[in-house]
Amino acid sequence: MIRWLAGLLLLFCIHTRTAADTYTLIVCGTGGEETYTETFTTWGTRLRAALIDRCEFDPDKIVLLTEKNDTPEATAPSTRESILSRLRELGVRSGRADQLLVFLIGHGSYRHREAKLNIAGPDLSAEDLAITLQEIR
């Protein structure tokens, strides 16, 4: 599994180098239990480090949001408002030829034909993301 993920990251890094610039939003959702909260934060932090170290992404163009906002790399808590706000900010900073990547880490739900990421406060829906992405592109 680890080799497969490493290979996927390598292919991803090669592909993203063709873009003018790459902006990234990493969202770590609510763990519900401390073990999951720590795991999601660790995954988000490691993903950010891999994008910087292995893919040579600009750290200033990566936004990491975590449930507790308790790591030096995190810029804000992962609430619905901060997620959509940071996504809009990245949209303003990025150009038409740039790539905008969004990584969602955590538990989700699917009920009544609506998918959501579990976060503190109101959950983030797929519709929230779709509307915001349409606004910025």
Side-chain angles (χ1 to χ4, degrees), residues 51-95:
L51 293 174
I52 294 166
D53 298 339
R54 296 183 183 188
C55 299
E56 300 177 1
F57 280 27
D58 182 345
D60 294 330
K61 295 177 182 168
I62 300 175
V63 175
L64 172 64
L65 305 178
T66 62
E67 180 179 359
K68 295 182 178 181
N69 191 31
D70 59 353
T71 66
E73 300 86 2
T75 58
S78 55
T79 63
R80 182 179 178 277
E81 294 76 26
S82 68
I83 294 167
L84 298 178
S85 172
R86 295 309 191 283
L87 189 54
R88 286 184 188 102
E89 288 172 15
L90 290 174
V92 168
R93 291 175 51 197
S94 63

Side-chain angles (χ1 to χ4, degrees), residues 11-118:
L11 289 173
F12 176 75
C13 291
I14 292 169
H15 173 72
T16 56
R17 288 186 186 219
T18 61
D21 255 325
T22 302
Y23 294 82
T24 307
L25 176 65
I26 303 169
V27 179
C28 301
T30 301
E33 296 177 15
E34 192 60 34
T35 302
Y36 291 114
T37 300
E38 290 174 12
T39 299
F40 297 160
T41 299
T42 298
W43 288 350
T45 304
R46 286 183 178 175
L47 174 58
R48 182 181 183 279
L51 293 174
I52 294 166
D53 298 339
R54 296 183 183 188
C55 299
E56 300 177 1
F57 280 27
D58 182 345
D60 294 330
K61 295 177 182 168
I62 300 175
V63 175
L64 172 64
L65 305 178
T66 62
E67 180 179 359
K68 295 182 178 181
N69 191 31
D70 59 353
T71 66
E73 300 86 2
T75 58
S78 55
T79 63
R80 182 179 178 277
E81 294 76 26
S82 68
I83 294 167
L84 298 178
S85 172
R86 295 309 191 283
L87 189 54
R88 286 184 188 102
E89 288 172 15
L90 290 174
V92 168
R93 291 175 51 197
S94 63
R96 296 211 50 82
D98 296 334
Q99 287 186 329
L100 177 59
L101 307 176
V102 179
F103 293 92
L104 304 175
I105 300 171
H107 298 295
S109 63
Y110 184 77
R111 191 172 183 186
H112 304 295
R113 298 183 152 213
E114 187 173 27
K116 293 184 178 183
L117 176 69
N118 300 132

